[in-house]
Amino acid sequence: MNIKVDINNLDDQKVVSVAGEIDAYTAPKLREAILPLAEEVNPNITINLKDVSYMDSTGLGVFVGLLKSVRKNNGQLNLVELSDRLERLFTITGLNDIIDISSKSEGGVQ
């Protein structure tokens, strides 16, 4: 399966829309696309996962690495529009306690 990553600027925020499956094959492409965003000064990143149909532990690892980088650069990371399945995955792993997650779109993110 392929993954599609679109990055847009919305005021001082980077809005990333991800579509497809995030697994061992596609996670490197996702990491390559979004990690540079976290290296900016005070990054403000919102990732819309509305069109992600599947994610495994490799995908979770991408988001943990992104969060570490965002925090190191005094930034903010938000995940929005997660499916029930993805929300459960983040809850089961406890990542919902360290990453800001919303099932609803926020901040003009569509």
Side-chain angles (χ1 to χ4, degrees), residues 3 22-35 58-59 62:
I3 190 170
I22 305 173
D23 58 22
Y25 299 105
T26 61
K29 180 178 178 184
L30 177 62
R31 182 180 297 111
E32 182 179 301
I34 63 176
L35 203 51
T58 313
V62 170

Side-chain angles (χ1 to χ4, degrees), residues 13-75:
Q13 181 180 44
K14 301 288 186 188
V15 179
V16 181
S17 297
V18 183
E21 295 182 357
I22 305 173
D23 58 22
Y25 299 105
T26 61
K29 180 178 178 184
L30 177 62
R31 182 180 297 111
E32 182 179 301
I34 63 176
L35 203 51
L37 303 177
E39 297 299 327
E40 297 175 6
V41 177
N42 301 320
N44 183 1
I45 304 168
T46 296
I47 302 181
N48 187 309
L49 298 174
K50 172 177 66 172
D51 295 320
V52 172
S53 57
Y54 173 81
M55 184 186 311
D56 67 8
S57 60
T58 313
L60 291 173
V62 170
F63 290 108
V64 170
L66 179 65
L67 178 66
K68 287 180 181 178
S69 188
V70 165
R71 284 187 172 170
K72 181 179 82 175
N73 291 301
N74 300 312

Side-chain angles (χ1 to χ4, degrees), residues 59-95:
L60 291 173
V62 170
F63 290 108
V64 170
L66 179 65
L67 178 66
K68 287 180 181 178
S69 188
V70 165
R71 284 187 172 170
K72 181 179 82 175
N73 291 301
N74 300 312
Q76 184 73 25
L77 173 64
N78 299 294
L79 305 182
V80 298
E81 293 200 59
L82 282 71
S83 67
D84 289 342
R85 172 181 263 171
L86 289 184
E87 269 195 70
R88 275 193 308 276
L89 182 61
F90 279 89
T91 300
I92 289 168
T93 59
L95 291 175

